[in-house]
Amino acid sequence: MSRRERPGGVRADFDDPASLAGAVAGVDTVFLVTAPPVPTADHDIALMTAARAAGVRKIVKLSAIGSGERFEGATVGAWHLAAEEAIEASGLVWTMLRPPSFASNFLRYRALIQAGEPIPNMTGDSRQAIVDPRDVAAVAVAAMTSDAHNGQRYDLTGPELLTFTDQATILERVLERPVKITDASALDQLPAGMTTGIGWARAGGAAYVTDHVPRVLGRPAGTFEQWARDHREAFAAMP
Ligand SMILES: NC(=O)c1ccc[n+]([C@@H]2O[C@H](COP(=O)([O-])OP(=O)(O)OC[C@H]3O[C@@H](n4cnc5c(N)ncnc54)[C@H](OP(=O)(O)O)[C@@H]3O)[C@@H](O)[C@H]2O)c1
């Protein structure tokens, strides 16, 4: 979070402004990751407000692909968009990182895969350029440690478009065990607050590849297959 040494880190709570002030004191650059249980920009804005008051110079925000797109009368990633807009208006230096689905989302299904149970496919036959989260982290480090990425909004895609079934097939090959899937696209099965984003992705909104990861890192973006190979042990371990 900072250029200052902080052995042991600093505990803070997005819902407790005083604790945020302590976390950003003396900090130059913040990497902002929020995952509110209810989709609002409140946590981002609380941190941004504390950062500005503390004299922080730059915020690198983990956002999401498609934030601000319109789908069926609603805004995709509305809370990320509101947070991005607040940060842009704050006068702080910023970089927005907007990845599609992380390869690591499959780790949530370790228990199901180990039990031979089907895993939920929420995105139907649509394709997405699944990104290796290690690439997102590497771009975040680049953005935090160089001013070459100030004011940039990067769509951090992986190198190839894959359906959920494609990913399951790759995982099956790498793990050498069956990976079954089941249709979980019914609206009442989707995570709260994510129906617009998932609907947008299912309709093909996220079906594109960018060169932003290779442009920033000077090497190709990692493939889903390589991520799966590097995480074989995680799938073998008990969750
Ligand atoms: N997953 C994706 O495919 C994806 C794609 C694009 C963008 N994103 C964005 O990336 C961000 C993270 O998503 P994710 O899928 O990685 O979420 P996640 O798997 O639910 O992880 C969220 C992390 O935040 C921590 N956390 C939750 N509430 C907190 C709080 N009040 N204070 C401090 N830490 C808290 C959690 O800690 P515990 O583990 O202790 O609960 C967990 O480590 C989100 O903004 C999301 O929109 C995700």
Side-chain angles (χ1 to χ4, degrees):
M1 195 173 191
S2 82
R3 289 182 182 162
R4 206 167 89 176
E5 286 297 313
R6 291 188 177 212
V10 175
R11 290 182 69 86
D13 183 337
F14 282 121
D15 293 316
D16 175 1
S19 73
L20 295 177
V24 293
V27 167
D28 176 82
T29 299
V30 166
F31 179 51
L32 180 53
V33 182
T34 51
V38 180
T40 79
D42 291 354
H43 287 176
D44 292 84
I45 290 171
L47 195 287
M48 184 269 292
T49 303
R52 196 173 46 182
V56 167
R57 189 176 61 89
K58 187 194 293 193
I59 291 184
V60 177
K61 172 176 161 56
L62 180 58
S63 180
I65 200 165
S67 296
E69 296 287 331
R70 298 288 295 170
F71 181 73
E72 292 185 347
T75 302
V76 174
W79 63 277
H80 274 313
L81 179 69
E84 288 190 11
E85 289 176 347
I87 292 166
E88 280 189 71
S90 72
L92 292 165
V93 176
W94 53 265
T95 306
M96 310 298 176
L97 310 182
R98 297 173 138 228
S101 284
F102 300 160
S104 48
N105 289 345
F106 270 79
L107 289 172
R108 295 173 187 163
Y109 305 132
R110 280 191 303 167
L112 289 173
I113 292 170
Q114 284 177 6
E117 298 289 334
I119 60 176
N121 175 12
M122 293 181 278
T123 50
D125 294 330
S126 65
R127 299 186 303 158
Q128 275 195 64
I130 306 301
V131 67
D132 186 325
R134 294 172 298 185
D135 285 345
V136 178
V139 172
V141 169
M144 293 178 75
T145 54
S146 159
D147 283 332
H149 310 288
N150 294 354
Q152 297 296 313
R153 200 175 249 103
Y154 290 129
D155 282 355
L156 299 180
T157 74
E160 57 190 342
L161 293 173
L162 299 172
T163 64
F164 193 82
T165 306
D166 292 336
Q167 292 173 79
T169 303
I170 291 168
L171 206 51
E172 194 164 67
R173 188 166 68 236
V174 170
L175 300 181
E176 297 174 354
R177 63 186 305 156
V179 177
K180 302 178 205 161
I181 62 176
T182 185
D183 180 11
S185 56
L187 280 183
D188 60 357
Q189 294 185 62
L190 299 180
M194 293 181 64
T195 50
T196 302
I198 290 174
W200 173 78
R202 200 160 59 209
Y208 60 91
V209 174
T210 73
D211 67 352
H212 297 176
V213 169
R215 218 201 295 160
V216 173
L217 299 182
R219 59 155 175 82
T223 63
F224 180 76
E225 177 152 358
Q226 189 59 53
W227 176 88
R229 287 190 190 291
D230 292 343
H231 291 82
R232 282 178 62 126
E233 297 304 318
F235 283 98
M238 282 308 291

